[in-house]
Amino acid sequence: MSQNPKSQARSAARLGAVQALYQQQMEGTALAKLLNEFHQYRLGRVIEDEEYAEADVDFFDDIVAGVDARRAEIDDKLTGRLADGWTLARLDKTMLQILRAGAYELLGRPDVPKASAISEYVDVAKAFFDDREAKFVNGILDAIAKEAGR
């Protein structure tokens, strides 16, 4: 089943947002510089022979800026969903960004259907991890959606 162009553009924006958030965590890049860099050089470009789909830039910006603005709230909700003894610091850094971006969409984007937001981030997780981690993403985001009344 192929996605329509708008859906593909949003999928590309989500993957780009996870990459941008990862870069921000690792390098401490300021938000404006980070967004500009991704607009100029990353979104919809060919990198190492891999062509990135055209991304919905406004959607990308909203996810990255939304996570940045609401990180404390999002991290608090994520921490509440982890097993006893687990902290966000123990999570793989890419996994943490997937969960943050997904949580932001569930909390801050009521226009995005809950099921599609969760399934999109499960797909992003599958790009980096195996099925066990993808199920973890599904479980955490589903719990956050329920807590948010979605």
Side-chain angles (χ1 to χ4, degrees):
M1 184 174 96
S2 75
Q3 291 181 308
N4 69 44
K6 180 180 181 207
S7 181
Q8 266 185 323
R10 283 206 158 180
S11 295
R14 287 179 175 104
L15 182 59
V18 167
Q19 293 168 323
L21 290 165
Y22 178 85
Q23 180 178 323
Q24 185 184 43
Q25 172 145 5
M26 300 309 285
E27 299 175 6
T29 313
L31 182 64
K33 181 175 189 275
L34 183 71
L35 294 176
N36 185 50
E37 186 177 309
F38 269 74
H39 295 172
Q40 298 289 324
Y41 306 110
R42 302 286 293 272
L43 294 175
R45 302 285 191 268
V46 177
I47 300 170
E48 294 167 7
D49 297 334
E50 194 169 324
E51 191 167 336
Y52 286 74
E54 207 51 55
D56 178 333
V57 176
D58 292 339
F59 192 63
F60 165 84
D61 287 357
D62 184 66
I63 295 168
V64 176
V67 170
D68 189 67
R70 296 176 71 172
R71 184 171 284 119
E73 173 196 359
I74 289 167
D75 285 0
D76 189 49
K77 291 196 179 304
L78 292 175
T79 299
R81 294 287 155 213
L82 296 177
D84 281 348
W86 273 82
T87 62
L88 296 182
R90 282 184 67 186
L91 292 178
D92 175 272
K93 302 259 185 296
T94 302
M95 174 61 72
L96 177 56
Q97 308 321 319
I98 293 169
L99 292 172
R100 281 175 170 161
Y104 168 72
E105 254 187 80
L106 292 167
L107 298 168
R109 292 296 302 242
D111 59 308
V112 177
K114 173 186 112 171
S116 58
I118 293 172
S119 118
E120 285 281 331
Y121 286 102
V122 167
D123 286 348
V124 172
K126 287 178 180 173
F128 295 99
F129 303 103
D130 65 24
D131 282 349
R132 192 178 62 123
E133 284 91 350
K135 286 186 175 91
F136 174 74
V137 168
N138 187 67
I140 297 270
L141 293 181
D142 190 54
I144 284 176
K146 285 187 174 101
E147 186 185 325
R150 300 227 15 214

